[in-house]
Amino acid sequence: MERNQEALKRRLVELAFEITGEGELGEDQDYDVYLTSPLPELGVDSLTALELAVHLEREFGTRLEEQELTQIRTLEDIVRFVEARGA
């Protein structure tokens, strides 16, 4: 589970960068700081969050409901929703 969680966290940061074009995650870079950053600081707005959710569903099989999307403030929030579903 821990390994899957780390993979999820890293992939979320990578997706955020890919979708927004706001930066790049290096191999040795600490991505945890990005997980707790407010989404606007990462260049993620409401449309980008929706796109991120679509990618998440495709890659991890976890669907975020519209009401959950409105509660997301950080990438770590997404991790919590995924963990709550046992994915």
Side-chain angles (χ1 to χ4, degrees), residues 1-70:
M1 174 73 172
E2 188 68 30
R3 188 168 155 213
N4 289 339
Q5 182 185 40
E6 290 304 309
L8 170 64
K9 288 178 178 181
R10 182 172 181 84
R11 186 61 184 139
L12 279 173
V13 174
E14 289 171 347
L15 280 171
F17 286 159
E18 288 172 19
I19 293 168
T20 64
E22 300 278 333
E24 187 174 313
L25 186 62
E27 277 301 312
D28 297 331
Q29 202 167 1
D30 180 16
Y31 56 87
D32 284 332
V33 69
Y34 299 111
L35 291 168
T36 57
S37 296
L39 292 178
E41 286 183 16
L42 300 176
V44 177
D45 59 17
S46 58
L47 289 176
T48 309
L50 181 58
E51 188 174 350
L52 192 58
V54 169
H55 282 279
L56 180 70
E57 184 175 359
R58 282 187 200 144
E59 292 190 30
F60 294 94
T62 301
R63 178 176 172 79
L64 294 177
E65 301 300 326
E66 189 174 328
Q67 68 191 44
E68 293 169 327
L69 285 173
T70 63

